[in-house]
Amino acid sequence: MKVTEHIKNAKGTLFSLEVLPPLKGSNIETIFEHIDPLMEFKPPFIDVTYHREEYVYKKRENGLLERSTTKKRPGTVGICAAIRHRYGVDPVPHMICGGFSKEETENALIDLDFVGIDNVLVIRGDSIKNEPRFVPEPDGNEYALDLLKQVHNMNNGIYLDEDLTNVSPTDFCTGVAGYPEKHFEAPNMKGDLKHLKEKVDAGAGYIVTQMFFDNQKYFSFVENCRDIGIDIPIIPGLKPITSLSQISTLARLFHIDIPEELVHEVEKCKNNAEARQVGVEWGIQQSKELMEYGVPVLHYYSMGKSESVFKIAKELF
Ligand code: FAD
């Protein structure tokens, strides 16, 4: 079922989560162990991230470094199929532009369609680690908008090869990313919102936000979106702090602000266990306020750790 239908049929705020494929070599049980306890909160859909290739350097006998590329977290499509099979929940694979030609994108979408997946979160992806800026493949999509148009073309039976006959249209529901604190490359919020609106006008069914720790940022974002005619559901993405160091790493990696009060509370902690407790308490307060505001879904970035998400959800669902 489509995410938009789940939202339409819901009686209140829904619970959902995002999982990462495990590192190459791990088995699927590591994902199940993570999701199993959270099934108590009846997520109607679960997102599975996509991780592009990375450069790895190996020293050759002559002392020189040899560069190759590898995907450290493969398995997005397989995990989606496994989630659907084990839990009967709708998986939402993330599809990115980076590293894919349009032809490869089309083939990946055909795979998703064949395994019965109804939703995709359409995003651009970041640059390869250590590269200064995002570079699309020579015949790839440059922006999420371009990828979104490709998905919607397939929904209308338009494949890359115009000579194909008797094509079956796909029927994907598409989500896109939104940034309450602005995407880091955008010169200003107004421009970023303009590009978000283009994705909505191209047929996106819903928006999922980057993580944020100050609900006011989400509230103003929603208001600004509504002001420019974005009227689709805007799902807040939440990440509980789970270690002392995340105060700086999350800010740096995701280009977000951490409120002074939260920083202060974490700085008082003597170890990661205490920081995790602060993260849970902050997450509960944030989630309660968002629920009162009437958000359609509370979407948690679990990042391979279910314990804090479980404690937060237990207070709310
Ligand atoms: P876009 O919408 O393409 O926007 C990228 C930038 O370009 C923005 O600054 C925008 O303002 C600007 N822009 C857009 N259109 C134009 C235009 N026509 N001209 C000029 N500028 C333009 N990354 C992964 O690798 N894998 C994942 O699984 C993943 N999941 C994510 C899930 C969520 C909910 C979020 C919020 C992010 C996720 N990301 C993931 C990270 C994401 O790939 C990065 O944030 C990426 O830098 C931007 O993706 P986007 O889809 O927002 O890009």
Side-chain angles (χ1 to χ4, degrees):
M1 196 160 124
K2 295 179 177 181
V3 167
T4 45
E5 286 169 331
H6 284 297
I7 292 174
K8 213 160 111 195
N9 298 341
K11 301 246 156 26
T13 302
L14 300 167
F15 165 84
S16 78
L17 70 147
E18 177 190 284
V19 298
L20 272 67
L23 285 168
K24 194 181 268 183
S26 306
N27 94 23
I28 188 82
E29 286 305 320
T30 56
I31 284 278
F32 293 155
E33 280 163 20
H34 173 63
I35 299 176
D36 281 354
L38 299 173
M39 288 312 291
E40 178 180 335
F41 311 113
K42 301 189 172 45
F45 62 92
I46 296 176
D47 277 53
V48 184
T49 54
Y50 189 91
H51 298 259
R52 68 176 304 179
E53 71 281 11
E54 291 178 32
Y55 293 136
V56 284
Y57 296 88
K58 280 196 182 136
K59 211 171 196 174
R60 289 203 305 219
E61 274 178 17
N62 61 8
L64 293 176
L65 289 178
E66 187 176 49
R67 189 175 89 171
S68 59
T69 52
T70 185
K71 278 191 182 152
K72 292 190 176 169
R73 292 182 184 273
T76 301
V77 179
I79 293 169
C80 284
I83 286 176
R84 201 177 153 85
H85 177 70
R86 182 177 171 103
Y87 306 107
V89 163
D90 280 303
V92 184
H94 292 189
M95 283 284 304
I96 63 171
C97 305
F100 282 83
S101 66
K102 287 185 186 155
E103 164 87 17
E104 288 162 340
T105 297
E106 183 170 276
N107 294 341
L109 288 164
I110 289 171
D111 279 343
L112 296 178
D113 187 42
F114 284 175
V115 292
I117 283 167
D118 296 328
N119 304 281
V120 278
L121 190 80
V122 173
I123 45 210
R124 188 195 68 182
D126 282 320
S127 57
I128 297 188
K129 228 183 224 168
N130 302 329
E131 283 199 341
R133 62 184 190 87
F134 175 82
V135 181
E137 292 304 296
D139 181 27
N141 290 304
E142 185 172 4
Y143 292 107
L145 175 66
D146 306 316
L147 174 53
L148 190 71
K149 285 181 178 164
Q150 188 176 0
V151 179
H152 284 271
N153 272 344
M154 285 176 71
N155 281 353
N156 289 316
I158 303 165
Y159 286 63
L160 293 173
D161 180 353
E162 287 163 8
D163 295 334
L164 288 181
T165 50
N166 294 327
V167 290
S168 291
T170 54
D171 188 21
F172 291 112
C173 166
T174 51
V176 293
Y179 301 82
E181 299 179 57
K182 185 180 86 59
H183 183 260
F184 70 101
E185 291 168 22
N188 54 55
M189 190 57 143
K190 202 171 167 196
D192 204 23
L193 286 172
K194 181 179 143 252
H195 293 309
L196 180 59
K197 175 80 163 52
E198 285 163 0
K199 295 192 276 191
V200 176
D201 292 344
Y206 66 99
I207 295 165
V208 185
T209 76
Q210 182 57 281
M211 64 180 76
F212 57 90
F213 290 90
D214 174 357
N215 285 347
Q216 288 311 320
K217 301 243 161 106
Y218 171 83
F219 299 145
S220 339
F221 176 69
V222 173
E223 210 171 289
N224 291 335
C225 285
R226 300 305 182 222
D227 282 350
I228 59 166
I230 294 177
D231 54 4
I232 58 176
I234 303 178
I235 299 176
L238 298 174
K239 155 88 184 87
I241 295 273
T242 53
S243 70
L244 290 165
S245 62
Q246 280 181 354
I247 287 298
S248 55
T249 53
L250 293 179
R252 191 174 68 243
L253 291 173
F254 296 99
H255 310 275
I256 51 165
D257 273 358
I258 313 282
E260 215 179 317
E261 194 189 333
L262 178 55
V263 174
H264 183 64
E265 287 306 312
V266 173
E267 280 175 350
K268 284 197 287 189
C269 297
K270 290 192 270 312
N271 50 43
N272 284 337
E274 286 186 17
R276 257 195 306 281
Q277 187 50 33
V278 169
V280 167
E281 283 161 21
W282 191 273
I284 292 171
Q285 288 318 315
Q286 239 196 308
S287 304
K288 276 189 176 160
E289 194 182 25
L290 289 163
M291 234 179 187
E292 279 161 23
Y293 179 80
V295 296
V297 183
L298 285 167
H299 185 68
Y300 294 93
Y301 298 119
S302 57
M303 291 189 175
K305 295 198 177 77
S306 53
E307 196 189 311
S308 295
V309 174
F310 180 88
K311 287 181 179 163
I312 294 168
K314 194 80 186 159
E315 291 286 322
L316 296 147
F317 294 94

